[in-house]
Amino acid sequence: MATAPIKVMLYSHDAQGLGHLRRNLALAHHLARALPALTHAQVTGLLVAGLTPGAGFEVPPGFDWLVLPGIMKSADGYRPRRLRSTRAQLRALRSQVLEAALTSFAPDLLIIDRHPYGVRHELLEPLRSLRRLHPGTRVVLGLREVLDEPETMAREWAGLGPGHQLRELIDQVWVYGDPAVHNLLRTGEGPEALADRVRFTGYLALGRRAVDTPGTTSPVPPGPFVLTTAGGGSDALPLLRHAAAMEPPAGHRHVVVCGPQLGEPEVAQVARAGGPRTLVVRAWPGMSHHVNDAAAVISMGGYNTLCEILSTSTPALVVPRETPRLEQLIRARSLARHGAVELLRLSQTDPAALGRWAASAVGRHVSRERIDLTGLASVPVLAHALLTDDTQQGWAA
């Protein structure tokens, strides 16, 4: 008799940027590849996202997307991205879709990215229903290695309600980083109620190129190039304009990738700032390959982009976002202290400063071997241990 497939579900709310979606997609690919050898069973799964995935976001065999109606951040909180509905109506709709999916799909493993109860607690009642109807499901909260200032995070964790409720609903916490670089338990950023359930995986870095498919054509002719990348790009216009206007190092071209969430007028602004050896594009599929091939990289400080950089020996200058969260600045400082990247504050950034750095960086290589970059290999092992450990009953406080 054939063994039933292991069912995996990964949730991300995706209000701004592509980081949550990209992180879960990388995890899905490595779970699909590694879990069958560990469990002797096929793997199938759903990736729950709040953004419609574009080109380059291919799911692994046996997986599919479940796309929720979108939300976006605004000055007064989350609001509908496209639907003409109230916030309460959209929250109710998303919550009902999530509950139907969780209780009917009945995953063996649920991985929740960053927000344990989702946006505006849209996942809280679905989780309670899942616990009641499918108590064997293992629920994991996945966290970036850096969250924010400890005071900010203390308020966020307190806003989730009593700690015993978290312990009833969350079996383990996977922190996607190296505690020797940044330990969110020591800084006070992590959830105190779940401290004993935290497992550090290492950065989700090595292995990304194996599942990141580059485009069939390159926008830049063969030859050495410097790369500027801004992730989703929604708040990257100041950096992109400075980068496009810089003078590339002698003998090098400069490729500026704006990101799919930067508006068309803003992309046009960046393109106008570029010189004859600078090419501005909205997207360039296979970014992990391009980071590896570049002579030097300028980027913001998002988690996924930094993982792509850490998996290479390419010199990198990080210009982190500093509002509304300090996450990127904290990450960049931590990695700079370990010699993995160089840091430049946005207030210090201009075309001349970026050009000087790029000219000094090309021809160099950076060793990052002392940092634990094996998270994508560690997660399937942690998943297998959690799925086969009958003592892991997180809902029994």
Side-chain angles (χ1 to χ4, degrees):
M1 181 181 296
T3 304
I6 294 172
K7 292 184 285 186
V8 179
M9 195 166 174
L10 302 100
Y11 162 90
S12 59
H13 71 286
D14 305 311
Q16 180 175 341
L18 300 169
H20 304 278
L21 183 151
R22 292 183 64 207
R23 186 160 47 245
N24 273 355
L25 183 59
L27 290 171
H29 275 281
H30 284 266
L31 287 167
R33 294 177 64 182
L35 266 185
L38 295 169
T39 62
H40 308 293
Q42 294 294 313
V43 178
T44 191
L46 282 173
L47 278 146
V48 182
L51 292 168
T52 303
F57 291 87
E58 301 300 326
V59 294
F63 279 69
D64 210 339
W65 294 106
L66 174 62
V67 180
L68 301 172
I71 55 172
M72 62 186 298
K73 286 184 178 179
S74 63
D76 58 346
Y78 295 103
R79 63 178 177 84
R81 184 178 295 273
R82 296 186 184 89
L83 282 183
R84 295 185 177 95
S85 70
T86 67
R87 300 173 197 230
Q89 289 169 337
L90 181 58
R91 188 263 181 202
L93 173 59
R94 285 171 56 110
S95 187
Q96 290 165 14
V97 171
L98 285 165
E99 183 160 354
L102 279 172
T103 56
S104 59
F105 186 65
D108 300 293
L109 176 65
L110 170 65
I111 301 174
I112 302 168
D113 191 81
R114 176 62 178 86
H115 297 284
Y117 302 153
V119 172
R120 301 183 66 197
H121 288 200
E122 66 184 10
L123 198 53
L124 180 54
E125 287 306 319
L127 280 176
R128 287 171 172 163
S129 296
L130 180 69
R131 279 292 188 230
R132 185 175 65 254
L133 297 174
H134 305 288
T137 298
R138 301 297 188 240
V139 181
V140 171
L141 174 63
L143 298 178
R144 300 182 305 256
E145 92 291 22
V146 177
L147 297 176
D148 204 341
E149 290 182 297
E151 297 80 7
T152 299
M153 291 312 305
R155 290 193 297 271
E156 285 197 19
W157 294 120
L160 294 177
H164 69 80
Q165 179 176 265
L166 268 177
R167 294 183 68 84
E168 289 168 359
L169 297 174
I170 305 295
D171 296 309
Q172 267 187 11
V173 180
W174 295 346
V175 178
Y176 305 131
D178 180 348
V181 176
H182 184 88
N183 188 327
L184 55 70
L185 292 179
R186 290 180 183 169
T187 63
E189 297 163 69
E192 185 177 345
L194 298 173
D196 60 319
R197 299 181 183 177
V198 169
R199 308 289 184 269
F200 288 90
T201 68
Y203 285 91
L204 307 179
L206 297 180
R208 280 182 175 259
R209 291 197 294 278
V211 296
D212 187 13
T213 305
T216 56
T217 59
S218 172
V220 61
F225 66 94
V226 172
L227 173 66
T228 294
T229 175
S234 60
D235 58 351
L237 182 59
L239 171 61
L240 292 170
R241 283 195 303 210
H242 288 316
M246 84 175 194
E247 182 72 18
H252 291 71
R253 293 180 176 270
H254 184 197
V255 182
V256 179
V257 184
C258 294
Q261 293 185 325
L262 189 68
E264 288 293 344
E266 289 77 19
V267 173
Q269 285 185 45
V270 177
R272 286 195 295 271
R277 290 188 290 131
T278 295
L279 177 65
V280 176
V281 296
R282 174 175 288 282
W284 193 9
M287 185 57 68
S288 62
H289 295 271
H290 309 319
V291 170
N292 184 63
D293 294 340
V297 174
I298 299 168
S299 81
M300 295 181 70
Y303 179 86
N304 292 287
T305 300
L306 267 293
C307 282
E308 290 166 341
I309 289 169
L310 291 175
S311 69
T312 75
S313 61
T314 305
L317 178 68
V318 180
V319 184
R321 173 197 304 136
E322 299 186 32
T323 58
R325 293 185 177 274
L326 291 178
E327 166 221 337
Q328 292 196 5
L329 179 60
I330 296 168
R331 174 177 299 115
R333 282 175 167 166
S334 298
L335 290 169
R337 282 195 296 268
H338 284 74
V341 302
E342 295 172 69
L343 167 65
L344 186 67
R345 306 283 289 271
L346 184 60
S347 60
Q348 304 167 320
T349 301
D350 59 30
L354 295 178
R356 286 193 298 270
W357 178 83
S360 71
V362 296
R364 291 196 279 117
H365 296 279
V366 178
S367 173
R368 299 168 174 126
E369 294 177 353
R370 294 183 180 180
I371 298 174
D372 185 355
L373 308 176
T374 63
L376 288 171
S378 299
V379 160
V381 176
L382 285 170
H384 178 238
L386 188 60
L387 289 168
T388 55
D389 185 356
D390 291 335
T391 67
Q392 286 286 347
Q393 297 287 328
W395 53 94

